[in-house]
Amino acid sequence: MTPESLAGLCGLAAGLGALHTLAGPDHYLPFVVLARARRWSAARTALVTALCGAGHVLGSILIG
């Protein structure tokens, strides 16, 4: 696999991941509600969301 094709594949995966997240409110709405209810800062919300997203991706990779 050439570096160009690997970069293209990574870009495609990132784009599809973003579309997947935006298409389903069940992927972001719980974080919005939790952050508001617990009065989290934007930084803490972003950190928790990123950690959960990484777990989601790693779990999907392991299943695949």
Side-chain angles (χ1 to χ4, degrees):
M1 181 173 280
T2 66
E4 293 82 17
S5 63
L6 182 59
L9 183 61
C10 288
L12 179 64
L16 286 174
L19 181 63
H20 172 78
T21 300
L22 293 174
D26 62 323
H27 280 71
Y28 58 83
L29 196 57
F31 297 103
V32 172
V33 172
L34 194 60
R36 286 184 184 225
R38 296 188 179 182
R39 295 190 174 122
W40 287 352
S41 66
R44 181 170 183 173
T45 304
L47 176 64
V48 170
T49 303
L51 290 173
C52 291
H56 179 61
V57 169
L58 290 174
S60 297
I61 290 170
L62 289 174
I63 290 171

